[in-house]
Amino acid sequence: MQIHLALQDGFDGDDVVLRVAGSEAYRGENVTTRTQISLAADMQLEVPDHPFTLEVDVPTRGVRESVQIDPHAHANVTLSLRDGLLVAGFPEQIGFV
């Protein structure tokens, strides 16, 4: 099963590591938001067919948080950094101009 995940606002030359149920699923270096479209990275992640923990590590900002996701309820996930905090969103769809 896959989810669509977008790193959106607040990234500026950051390293980002995403882990799905403890296993590394994405590693990005120098991740930077393109402010015109509020997008830093866009990907499909392989995930379990049941609720799981998404661990988000942004070591360049000292941010490390976990988000519980049910892939059947939330097939689209957005992550942004705001005021040093990770903000997760679960839109119906993710689209960019």
Side-chain angles (χ1 to χ4, degrees):
M1 175 165 221
Q2 292 186 330
I3 62 169
H4 183 185
L5 188 137
L7 301 178
Q8 292 189 322
D9 296 310
F11 296 92
D12 187 12
D14 293 302
D15 295 337
V16 179
V17 180
L18 303 177
R19 292 180 187 86
V20 172
S23 296
E24 188 171 307
Y26 171 84
R27 178 177 292 270
E29 296 178 353
N30 199 31
V31 175
T32 299
T33 300
R34 294 175 20 204
T35 55
Q36 304 90 331
I37 59 172
S38 294
L39 178 65
D42 185 41
M43 67 208 72
Q44 299 288 324
L45 294 180
E46 287 293 330
V47 299
D49 192 20
H50 52 77
F52 66 94
T53 300
L54 176 69
E55 298 170 50
V56 182
D57 189 10
V58 187
T60 48
R61 301 290 184 100
V63 173
R64 181 177 226 164
E65 296 192 34
S66 296
V67 179
Q68 299 299 313
I69 298 175
D70 179 343
H72 294 284
H74 303 295
N76 299 301
V77 179
T78 61
L79 300 173
S80 295
L81 289 173
R82 294 196 185 120
D83 299 321
L85 299 174
L86 184 74
V87 178
F90 304 98
E92 288 292 318
Q93 65 182 33
I94 299 173
F96 303 99
V97 177

